[in-house]
């Protein structure tokens, strides 16, 4: 026969810690998360300019933006540019089918039958946003998405969706 445990004893057994300490840790993590989200939200209230340094091999040519259109299709090349982000958090995510990645125009997460893969799934947010790239020769628009976009904003797609 097993001895019965009260709720606190059971909680301690599962977590191996004092419930008060666990609650304080949970609260501390929530505060840290809120501070990070507030920081990112205030960052996105203004136009953001970034300078990213990406190393390229010595023999690799840096292509001016004005010449980017003349590059061979499917050929990668390097540019050196100032990056400007949109100041609207709403424009930092899209909703997609989690099965095939098809973008779906919907104002909110909901269950759909995807027209692309014919599967029924709940839409999920995907971090994706446009950036303006500018150098001395001109400017163009680019797209940053998924892990690179989340890392740049210090927010996941789900966190951005929840903020909006």
């Amino acid at each position: 026969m097993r001895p019965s445990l009260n709720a606190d004893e059971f909680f301690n057994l599962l977590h191996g810690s004092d419930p008060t300490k666990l609650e304080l840790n949970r609260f501390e993590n929530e505060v840290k998360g809120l501070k990070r989200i507030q920081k990112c939200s205030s960052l996105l209230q203004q136009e953001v300019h970034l300078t990213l340094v990406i190393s390229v091999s010595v023999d690799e040519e840096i292509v001016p933006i004005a010449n980017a259109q003349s590059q061979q299709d499917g050929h990668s090349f390097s540019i050196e540019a100032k990056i400007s982000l949109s100041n609207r958090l709403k424009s930092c995510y899209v909703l997609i089918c989690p099965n095939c990645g098809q973008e779906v125009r919907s104002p909110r997460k909901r269950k759909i039958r995807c027209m692309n893969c014919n599967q029924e799934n709940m839409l999920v947010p995907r971090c994706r946003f446009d950036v303006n790239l500018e150098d001395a020769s001109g400017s163009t628009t680019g797209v940053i998405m998924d892990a690179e976009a989340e890392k740049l904003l210090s927010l996941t797609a789900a966190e951005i969706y929840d903020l909006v």
Side-chain angles (χ1 to χ4, degrees):
M1 185 171 211
R2 292 184 176 163
S4 64
L5 299 173
N6 68 30
D8 286 338
E9 291 169 330
F10 180 71
F11 191 77
N12 284 337
L13 180 65
L14 285 178
H15 297 283
S17 235
D18 177 19
T20 307
K21 186 176 179 183
L22 287 172
E23 188 63 23
L24 286 172
N25 287 340
R26 187 186 63 74
F27 180 70
E28 183 179 309
N29 288 336
E30 283 183 22
V31 169
K32 284 179 185 174
L34 282 173
K35 284 181 180 177
R36 190 185 73 181
I37 289 170
Q38 288 169 343
K39 180 181 172 187
C40 291
S41 294
S42 65
L43 238 179
L44 291 170
Q45 299 294 323
Q46 54 196 319
E47 188 169 339
V48 178
H49 298 285
L50 301 170
T51 303
L52 300 177
V53 178
I54 300 171
S55 61
V56 294
S57 62
V58 176
D59 60 337
E60 190 171 345
E61 178 186 2
I62 293 180
V63 177
I65 288 176
N67 298 345
Q69 291 291 345
S70 64
Q71 297 301 304
Q72 181 181 359
D73 285 346
H75 175 76
S76 62
F77 56 91
S78 298
I79 64 170
E80 184 177 329
K82 178 175 79 173
I83 299 176
S84 302
L85 303 176
S86 167
N87 62 352
R88 294 183 337 226
L89 196 56
K90 178 100 173 140
S91 64
C92 290
Y93 75 90
V94 293
L95 294 173
I96 63 166
C97 169
N99 187 54
C100 68
Q102 176 69 38
E103 186 176 324
V104 178
R105 292 182 185 238
S106 175
R108 60 182 170 75
K109 289 194 281 189
R110 61 187 173 95
K111 197 168 201 167
I112 59 141
R113 176 164 296 281
C114 180
M115 294 173 61
N116 189 50
C117 67
N118 202 31
Q119 297 293 312
E120 192 170 299
N121 286 301
M122 179 67 78
L123 292 173
V124 296
R126 174 188 214 176
C127 194
R128 178 193 179 282
F129 54 89
D130 294 338
V131 292
N132 185 51
L133 303 167
E134 184 180 347
D135 69 8
S137 71
S139 66
T140 190
T141 301
V143 175
I144 300 179
M145 56 199 288
D146 297 329
E148 292 82 9
E150 290 179 349
K151 187 175 181 180
L152 196 60
L153 296 177
S154 298
L155 289 170
T156 66
E159 289 171 328
I160 294 167
Y161 178 84
D162 290 341
L163 282 172
V164 175

